[in-house]
Amino acid sequence: MSISVQGISKNFKGRRKGEPDNQVLKDVSFEIEEGQFVCLLGPSGCGKTTTLTIVAGFQKPTEGIIEVNGNVVTKPGPDRAFMFQNYALFPWLKVGENIEYPMKKMKVPKEERKKRVQEICEVVGLTQYLDRKPATLSGGQRQRVALARALVNRPDILLADEPTGNLDPKTSEEIMKLLEQINERGTTVLVVTHNKEIVNAMKKRVV
């Protein structure tokens, strides 16, 4: 699916009465064609994550519009999966249960859920960790769980917020290669990152 970001701005209300609004985005525009892998690059605090959450439908822009395949985004949808920077895994659930969770919310039948968990775990290399709790995994393994959970409902678009932000260089490269493999399977990928080196190494389009 294609993504069209058209002149979006985002203001947050001042914390105290009388304080001016805080503008974190101003007139941001870019286009992503179906099947592209694009990196949104910039320093911390420049509004990258805010842009990503607006594309995801988690919040609305103050001005401008977002379109996915020509349809205006007003709320989250199953066509867009979001991969959080801090993993956002449920510590009381096993790896397989964490990955299965979004399918339960979508009321996917149990047998189909088990099948998809196995399939995506083979892709991201987690088959042997299905019965373990997140706390027993390394940072890279937990990021793989987060990726598997984002992809298990087979979205058309993957939105990844600093997927390598908490990882060492070797693991960061492994995760980015995984994202590249997912993109090659047909998923449009938009990654937020401040890691210029890894973006340059991948030779992906940057906005």
Side-chain angles (χ1 to χ4, degrees):
M1 285 190 170
S2 61
I3 302 171
S4 178
V5 176
Q6 304 172 26
I8 65 168
S9 298
K10 181 64 178 179
N11 299 338
F12 290 103
K13 293 288 185 182
R15 293 184 178 182
R16 299 172 185 171
K17 187 176 181 180
E19 280 188 347
D21 291 351
N22 178 28
Q23 186 173 58
V24 295
L25 294 173
K26 182 178 180 180
D27 195 23
V28 175
S29 300
F30 57 88
E31 305 284 332
I32 300 175
E33 297 179 5
E34 181 175 356
Q36 282 191 319
F37 188 127
V38 175
C39 297
L40 195 58
L41 180 67
S44 297
C46 72
K48 304 185 303 297
T49 294
T50 300
T51 301
L52 203 68
T53 58
I54 292 174
V55 174
F58 295 157
Q59 57 182 323
K60 296 181 180 180
T62 305
E63 297 178 359
I65 61 171
I66 306 285
E67 292 182 349
V68 170
N69 256 21
N71 299 311
V72 176
V73 171
T74 58
K75 61 183 180 180
D79 55 341
R80 284 154 286 139
F82 199 95
M83 185 176 173
F84 295 91
Q85 178 180 359
N86 62 353
Y87 316 132
L89 304 177
F90 299 118
W92 59 88
L93 296 181
K94 297 177 181 178
V95 166
E97 294 168 335
N98 265 283
I99 297 169
E100 190 179 5
Y101 182 80
M103 291 189 290
K104 284 187 174 182
K105 300 293 286 185
M106 295 292 293
K107 302 187 184 303
V108 176
K110 184 176 181 179
E111 288 305 312
E112 178 65 15
R113 296 200 307 263
K114 298 298 183 184
K115 177 184 174 183
R116 290 194 196 179
V117 168
Q118 287 291 336
E119 287 177 349
I120 196 62
C121 283
E122 288 176 7
V123 173
V124 301
L126 286 173
T127 304
Q128 67 270 42
Y129 302 108
L130 289 175
D131 292 326
R132 291 175 59 174
K133 295 288 184 65
T136 69
L137 304 178
S138 68
Q141 290 166 338
R142 277 178 277 176
Q143 196 64 291
R144 288 170 184 261
V145 178
L147 176 58
R149 185 183 57 186
L151 295 171
V152 76
N153 269 332
R154 300 172 178 171
D156 298 297
I157 295 170
L158 175 64
L159 307 170
D161 184 16
E162 295 282 7
T164 65
N166 301 315
L167 306 176
D168 61 77
K170 182 178 183 298
T171 308
S172 295
E173 185 178 352
E174 291 173 354
I175 292 298
M176 293 301 279
K177 284 183 177 178
L178 265 177
L179 293 177
E180 194 168 43
Q181 291 172 18
I182 297 302
N183 173 245
E184 290 170 353
R185 293 161 68 97
T187 303
T188 302
V189 176
L190 175 58
V191 173
V192 156
T193 183
H194 65 274
N195 193 329
K196 186 176 182 179
E197 291 76 17
I198 201 165
V199 170
N200 289 341
M202 293 184 69
K203 295 181 174 61
K204 297 298 181 182
R205 181 186 161 206
V206 177
V207 296

